[in-house]
Each structure stands twice: as C-alpha cells, then as structure tokens.
Amino acid sequence: MAVTSTATTTWLIRGAFRALAPSHPLHRNTALSFYRKPSSLLPHITPLRNSALGICHLAQAMKGDVNDLLKGIGDRSIVEEVKHILDMAKRASSRREVLHTDFLTPPTLKESIRLLEKLADIKVVAQGGYPQAERCRLSVGHPDTLTNDPDIIAALSITGNFAFQTCSHGDFLGAILGAGISREKVGDIILQGDKGAQILLVPELVDFIMSSLDKVSNVSVSCARIPLLALEYEPPRTNTFKTVETSLRVDALASAGFKISRSKLVDLISNKDVRVNWTTITKNNTTLKTGDIVSVSGKGRLKIGEINSTKKGKFAVELIRFL
C-alpha cells in the first residue's frame, strides 16, 4: 500500500483501519519504492549486504519439506506462525510474487530464516530499520522477482518535554497500542532519553500515528516522520564475565548473571517474569545453551556465551550482561 500526501481523508481512514486490524503476519505489499529508490538489481546468487537500513539477512533456499522442517523447531509456540510463513513463501515463489510479513519476534524470525534456507527457489530479505533491530519484517519471493530491497519500514520521531518525566519503552508502546494499533505493526522502539523516542512501524500507519498520537503517559508529544538513516542508535553496552556452575539450568546461570539469589530467580520464574529467547518460561530447570538470551523483568537481559567443561565436571560459562 502506498501513502501519498495527496491522499483523501476517506482513503486515509480506510487504510488506517485496515492496518489497525489484527492480521496474519504475511500480507501482500507491492509498493517497493515508497521511501527511496530501489537498489541496483542483483543476480539471485548475490547476497545483499547488511546496511544502515537494517538488511538483516538474505537467504537462498534449497529443497525441503515444510512439515518435516517444522519438526525441528524447539519452541512449539511459534510453529503455526512459522508454518504460515513457509507456505506463503513457497506460494510467493511459484506465483512470482513478493510477500511481506509484519514485524516478527526474534524467535519467529530466527526459525523462519533458518527453515527458509532449506526451501527451493526462495529468496528472503529481513529488515528492521537499522542493523541491531530485534523485530524485523521478512520479504519473500522467487530470486528472479525479489531483486531489490523492498521499502517496507518507516520511522517516526516522537518528541516532547520528557526532562521531568522520563518515559519507558512500555510507556511509548502502551501509547501506540492504546491508539488501537496491533503489536505486529510496530517494530523496535529506540529511546532517546529526555528527547523522546524513535519508533519503527509499517508505512501505512505513519499518517494515522502522526495525527492521533498526542500523549505518552502524561507528556504531550508531537510526531514527525524521519528517514531511516536519521535513526539514532548505539551498539549495546555489555559487561562480560565468567561463572562456574554445576549445571546449565536457567536458575543457576541467570542468578549468577543478574547477581541475585537463586530463590529470588525462582520466584521471578513463578511470576512469569523470566523469558528465554523472548518466550516466557515456567520451569526453573530449563537448560540453557550458547547464544540463548535470558530476559528478566526489571533486571535487563543476559546472553549465554561460550561454555566449557571443567576438570571437576562443572561448567565454566561466559555471561554477557546488557547494560
């Protein structure tokens, strides 16, 4: 869907309501040159490079059966969503279409890309707006059809007087969702301190947000569209250290990583305040592995680094704490 400055009010409202309604994460979008001129055509054997616009990944797939591939997904809660993405990718390839998802959570994104690599004649581009984006949209199609980077990400700057009332990620997200917008239509939110925040979203909602969002918490705000290259972000700051534990259970590693007691961590798990790879866990004996991300409400995030066995049968684990 393309949005222009000459769109009529009726058309805008109708388009906004279509965008607000919950939908399957895949939908057709043929507006491939809305923000910027398409990049040069690339032969399908040439992968797209990462860029400031957030091209996360481009894969060419090999043959595979969807149902067999789904059996390998560790997180069963995302199976159906990934299945739809795989089915639609195959359909897009056979029909020579280009289809786009809404914003996907990191687990769904990771599994979808991993499995799409095993399907024949499919190319996939993931974009989140900037290189470190966690929530990304996928574009899928045949290599002969998906020949440039689709323009499917927009950015807004939300500004106000936040000097006396700093608003959190949840405050900004709550204000946006409170306008009736579905979560999958919104990507990352980049906090800017007392300047406000920058948000990534689907292009068709830009005008709606600019005209309807006037407050975040108790702070009056104004919204302006900005180019993706104007996004202000910094690489995450981390603190890396090692711990030696008798097991790789989440209660052992997370308590060491966040420097809280094991019993306190168990209580947080019981209260559903702990997530592994963005999925809430309920069992404190969940086993972790290298690359897993542990999130604890009010504490932040922790990444599991290299794991080695010690001579005494314990585990020396590298922990990376996001500051």
Side-chain angles (χ1 to χ4, degrees):
M1 179 186 301
V3 180
T4 68
S5 60
T6 58
T8 64
T9 301
T10 300
W11 184 94
L12 173 60
I13 294 175
R14 184 171 63 250
F17 274 107
R18 280 199 300 267
L20 299 180
S23 63
H24 185 273
L26 274 168
H27 60 86
R28 185 171 185 175
N29 187 333
T30 57
L32 301 183
S33 58
F34 181 60
Y35 304 107
R36 53 189 171 87
K37 295 181 180 179
S39 59
S40 301
L41 296 184
L42 301 173
H44 73 268
I45 60 173
T46 304
L48 295 178
R49 296 187 297 273
N50 286 347
S51 72
L53 297 182
I55 305 303
C56 306
H57 186 82
L58 175 66
Q60 293 209 49
M62 299 180 296
K63 213 166 189 176
D65 180 78
V66 170
N67 290 328
D68 288 340
L69 294 174
L70 292 171
K71 296 177 182 178
I73 296 180
D75 186 349
R76 307 310 296 175
S77 66
I78 64 174
V79 169
E80 284 303 311
E81 190 172 6
V82 174
K83 181 178 186 298
H84 282 301
I85 292 172
L86 298 183
D87 288 341
M88 294 298 288
K90 294 178 72 173
R91 190 180 311 156
S93 178
S94 65
R95 296 179 179 179
R96 296 301 194 271
E97 297 178 323
V98 175
L99 300 176
H100 314 293
T101 71
D102 286 324
F103 287 95
L104 304 176
T105 62
T108 301
L109 182 72
K110 177 182 176 181
E111 292 291 354
S112 297
I113 291 176
R114 181 178 69 84
L115 298 185
L116 284 167
E117 291 178 341
K118 300 179 181 181
L119 296 178
D121 297 322
I122 291 174
K123 180 183 287 186
V124 55
V125 176
Q127 301 183 79
Y130 65 108
Q132 285 81 35
E134 291 185 352
R135 295 173 62 85
C136 291
R137 300 185 71 184
L138 292 181
S139 299
V140 293
H142 191 277
D144 294 339
T145 307
L146 184 52
T147 54
N148 54 267
D149 309 346
D151 294 303
I152 57 172
I153 308 288
L156 286 180
S157 175
I158 303 177
T159 57
N161 186 9
F162 294 97
F164 301 102
Q165 182 177 343
T166 302
C167 288
S168 66
H169 180 282
D171 291 326
F172 284 96
L173 179 60
I176 295 168
L177 300 185
I181 295 169
S182 300
R183 180 65 179 98
E184 65 267 19
K185 302 295 183 180
V186 182
D188 285 6
I189 297 175
I190 306 172
L191 298 180
Q192 302 290 303
D194 59 9
K195 294 189 296 183
Q198 296 171 335
I199 66 169
L200 286 306
L201 71 165
V202 295
E204 54 266 32
L205 280 178
V206 168
D207 287 348
F208 179 81
I209 291 291
M210 290 178 62
S211 63
S212 62
L213 185 64
D214 57 4
K215 269 195 174 184
V216 173
S217 187
N218 294 321
V219 180
S220 297
V221 299
S222 59
C223 303
R225 184 169 184 169
I226 59 174
L228 296 180
L229 289 175
L231 290 171
E232 299 176 8
Y233 58 90
E234 297 180 357
R237 295 184 300 115
T238 60
N239 177 31
T240 301
F241 54 96
K242 289 187 177 181
T243 184
V244 177
E245 303 293 336
T246 57
S247 76
L248 298 176
R249 288 164 48 131
V250 64
D251 55 353
L253 297 186
S255 61
F258 293 108
K259 302 188 183 304
I260 58 177
S261 69
R262 197 159 175 168
S263 60
K264 175 63 175 177
L265 198 284
V266 171
D267 289 340
L268 290 168
I269 292 175
S270 299
N271 292 332
K272 298 183 179 180
D273 287 327
V274 179
R275 294 167 296 283
V276 174
N277 298 328
W278 293 273
T279 299
T280 300
I281 62 169
T282 56
K283 298 180 179 178
N284 54 298
N285 63 353
T286 300
T287 300
L288 301 179
K289 62 184 183 301
T290 296
D292 283 347
I293 301 290
V294 182
S295 305
V296 177
S297 298
K299 301 294 183 181
R301 290 186 300 164
L302 180 75
K303 184 175 182 179
I304 308 302
E306 185 178 358
I307 300 175
N308 293 299
S309 297
T310 69
K311 293 181 180 180
K312 295 184 178 181
K314 295 184 179 182
F315 299 95
V317 184
E318 179 186 50
L319 300 177
I320 305 167
R321 177 85 178 267
F322 292 87
L323 303 177

